[in-house]
Amino acid sequence: MGQYGAYPTNGQILKRLTIKIIDMLSITDLNGCSIEVTDLDEAIGQASRFLKYHHEDKYFADFDKKQKAYWQDIHKKLLRLRTKQN
């Protein structure tokens, strides 16, 4: 994290404005949507749990296959984020 001071550009220094820069963690899912990650460990746990879900009714096999691919991709990207942090 860093702090930067921002000042008016018209020559008048009225008050110093402090802006905190926060490292935002985000990933992009298979649909191209950006997902903000606020708790990486919890997100990894959630993705791990979702990887195990499936319907017992084989009628949903195609849906389950797509969902599994989605959560495998999310899980892989979250683990990559964790590796980058360490």
Side-chain angles (χ1 to χ4, degrees), residues 13-74:
I13 299 178
L14 301 174
K15 195 178 212 182
R16 184 164 188 243
L17 173 64
T18 301
I19 302 169
K20 289 187 178 184
I21 298 177
I22 300 171
D23 293 331
M24 298 282 284
L25 296 177
S26 66
I27 58 173
T28 303
D29 72 5
L30 288 176
N31 301 316
C33 297
S34 180
I35 300 172
E36 181 182 338
V37 180
T38 56
D39 185 332
L40 185 55
D41 290 331
E42 179 62 29
I44 291 169
Q46 184 177 8
S48 294
R49 289 188 299 276
F50 286 159
L51 276 171
K52 299 173 189 172
Y53 293 158
H54 66 276
H55 292 89
E56 290 184 15
D57 186 342
K58 297 302 175 191
Y59 177 81
F60 296 101
D62 288 338
F63 174 80
D64 288 339
K65 184 177 178 181
K66 290 176 187 174
Q67 288 299 102
K68 185 168 185 158
Y70 178 88
W71 287 109
Q72 283 175 330
D73 180 66
I74 294 290

